[in-house]
Amino acid sequence: DIWKIRLQLTKPVTWPPLIWGVVCGAAASGNFQWTVEDVAKSIVCMLMSGPFLTGYTQTINDWYDREIDAINEPYRPIPSGAISENDVITQIWVLLLGGIGLAGILDVWAGHKFPTIFYLALGGSLLSYIYSAPPLKLKQNGWIGNFALGASYISLPWWAGQALFGTLTPDIIVLTLLYSIAGLGIAIVNDFKSVEGDRKMGLQSLPVAFGEETAKWICVGAIDITQLSVAGYLLGSGKPYYAAALLGLIAPQFKYFLKDPVKYDVKYQASAQPFLILGLLVTALATSH
């Protein structure tokens, strides 16, 4: 079924963090109300961030990774030939233009004089392209590529949600970019399963560059130190209860990962990441008060 294959290419499992980011941005704005209009706005923003622009990102990444996937995961839709080149290219353009179009609609709906959400969507789409496509192909460098991925998954949807209902402020931009370092750590998790193909194709992912054992601790450090730093910021801002809540969410996050990042990557993502994204909401609520 071609539509099942199209859906598989967009990787719906990757949408929830973006959707959650919109929720956090709306919460941080302090202006979201449980009205039909505000709920409708947020749903459209989630559709833009998740199915459309994340779907575009995942599809274009698979397209430019088709040679690596032929080594690591030859059963995937593109290297296996389950979907044609024209169908993939069409899907990329439909999702990209659909997402940018929704961003423009949201700016008009919010009454923006400056199309903030449109430019966020455009910038995020460009970042997604240079992450996957040559000649820049940011993912060739483990540090830059993973940080770009973290910013795309954490900062951009938060900014879109906050801009939709309020105003983006410099402190929020800095705070969410700091959180993107945790996103860098999460991105490393996905690199462990691709070490063989990355090494053959000359991609310097962190597990390739430093070895799996060292990369494991870089991953843990990036995620933990980021959350501890944010908790310290909240404590210093006179919000000790939010800081304590965030600290409480850090503890359960590494039960499986430190044992074997290759064997337990899926279990780690299922058991640990919910605590991380709950911590994002705690931070958003703290900044809104």
Side-chain angles (χ1 to χ4, degrees):
D1 186 338
I2 188 64
W3 291 104
K4 287 184 179 179
I5 293 171
R6 288 188 182 281
L7 184 64
Q8 183 182 347
L9 280 175
T10 66
K11 296 184 182 65
V13 71
T14 64
W15 301 350
L18 282 292
I19 292 170
W20 190 256
V22 173
V23 171
C24 292
S29 74
N31 296 322
F32 176 83
Q33 302 293 326
W34 286 101
T35 63
V36 173
E37 183 178 10
D38 279 6
V39 169
K41 282 182 185 176
S42 63
I43 290 172
V44 173
C45 195
M46 290 172 187
L47 286 172
M48 174 197 74
S49 301
F52 278 91
L53 294 183
T54 307
Y56 153 78
T57 299
Q58 295 296 339
T59 305
I60 200 170
N61 185 63
D62 272 18
W63 172 249
Y64 284 107
D65 273 1
R66 59 193 184 279
E67 294 179 2
I68 296 175
D69 288 341
I71 299 170
N72 291 323
E73 299 169 282
Y75 50 83
R76 292 177 76 165
I78 296 175
S80 70
I83 187 169
S84 71
E85 175 180 333
N86 287 337
D87 283 342
V88 176
I89 298 299
T90 300
Q91 175 161 321
I92 289 169
W93 278 107
V94 168
L95 293 173
L96 172 62
L97 296 177
I100 291 174
L102 287 178
I105 290 170
L106 286 169
D107 277 318
V108 173
W109 199 350
H112 291 163
K113 292 181 180 179
F114 182 82
T116 308
I117 301 173
F118 174 83
Y119 280 111
L120 286 174
L122 198 62
S125 302
L126 177 61
L127 183 62
S128 296
Y129 177 77
I130 64 174
Y131 173 81
S132 299
L136 294 178
K137 203 174 180 74
L138 299 181
K139 67 184 298 178
Q140 291 181 114
N141 183 294
W143 294 108
I144 298 173
N146 286 341
F147 182 77
L149 194 64
S152 298
Y153 272 70
I154 293 175
S155 298
L156 285 172
W158 182 315
W159 295 351
Q162 186 154 351
L164 182 60
F165 294 103
T167 305
L168 269 180
T169 55
D171 60 324
I172 288 294
I173 291 173
V174 171
L175 188 63
T176 51
L177 286 175
L178 177 61
Y179 245 122
S180 297
I181 298 173
L184 179 152
I186 293 169
I188 296 172
V189 178
N190 295 317
D191 290 336
F192 285 98
K193 67 178 182 292
S194 305
V195 169
E196 180 185 352
D198 289 349
R199 189 177 286 119
K200 287 181 179 179
M201 299 301 295
L203 297 182
Q204 288 298 302
S205 67
L206 295 184
V208 170
F210 294 98
E212 292 181 17
E213 187 66 20
T214 302
K216 176 176 74 174
W217 287 103
I218 293 173
C219 173
V220 170
I223 297 173
D224 268 3
I225 291 170
T226 296
Q227 293 177 94
L228 290 170
S229 299
V230 173
Y233 167 79
L234 295 179
L235 184 63
S237 301
K239 297 167 183 176
Y241 296 113
Y242 289 103
L246 187 56
L247 288 173
L249 291 168
I250 296 173
Q253 291 184 28
F254 295 97
K255 178 180 178 182
Y256 294 106
F257 186 69
L258 291 176
K259 295 179 182 178
D260 185 338
V262 178
K263 181 178 179 181
Y264 292 110
D265 64 328
V266 175
K267 280 189 176 181
Y268 164 73
Q269 293 189 59
S271 63
Q273 289 189 20
F275 293 101
L276 176 68
I277 62 174
L278 281 173
L280 279 170
L281 183 59
V282 168
T283 305
L285 292 171
T287 58
S288 71
H289 293 79

